[in-house]
Amino acid sequence: MIAKLKMDELPCKMSDVTVRFTAVNPANEKISGGVFSMETVMHAVDYNGKMLDENGEWVNAG
C-alpha cells in the first residue's frame, strides 16, 4: 500500500505510471532486499469526490 505520494504538480488528466519499489534490510540499509516495478493508472481525486478523467475533465469518482 502506498500511504503517501507527493507530486510536484497536479497532472492534467488520468495518467499511466510506473511505480518502482525498492526494499531494504532495516538492520542494514546497504543490503538490498530487491527491486520491482508495477505498471498502473494514476487517478487524481479531490476531497469533494471528483477525479480527472482521460480527457482532463473533473467527473464524479463514484
Side-chain angles (χ1 to χ4, degrees):
M1 177 175 78
I2 299 172
K4 184 177 181 180
L5 177 69
K6 182 179 178 182
M7 296 183 286
D8 293 333
E9 60 187 47
L10 183 66
C12 59
K13 62 182 181 176
M14 181 173 41
S15 306
D16 294 333
V17 295
T18 302
V19 180
R20 290 185 183 88
F21 297 88
T22 303
V24 295
N25 181 334
N28 184 348
E29 294 184 1
K30 294 182 180 180
I31 298 174
S32 173
V35 178
F36 70 95
S37 297
M38 176 182 74
E39 303 278 330
T40 190
V41 177
M42 181 179 66
H43 298 273
V45 182
D46 69 10
Y47 290 107
N48 296 317
K50 299 283 186 175
M51 72 176 198
L52 282 170
D53 68 6
E54 63 276 0
N55 298 317
E57 301 292 328
W58 289 100
V59 297
N60 288 328

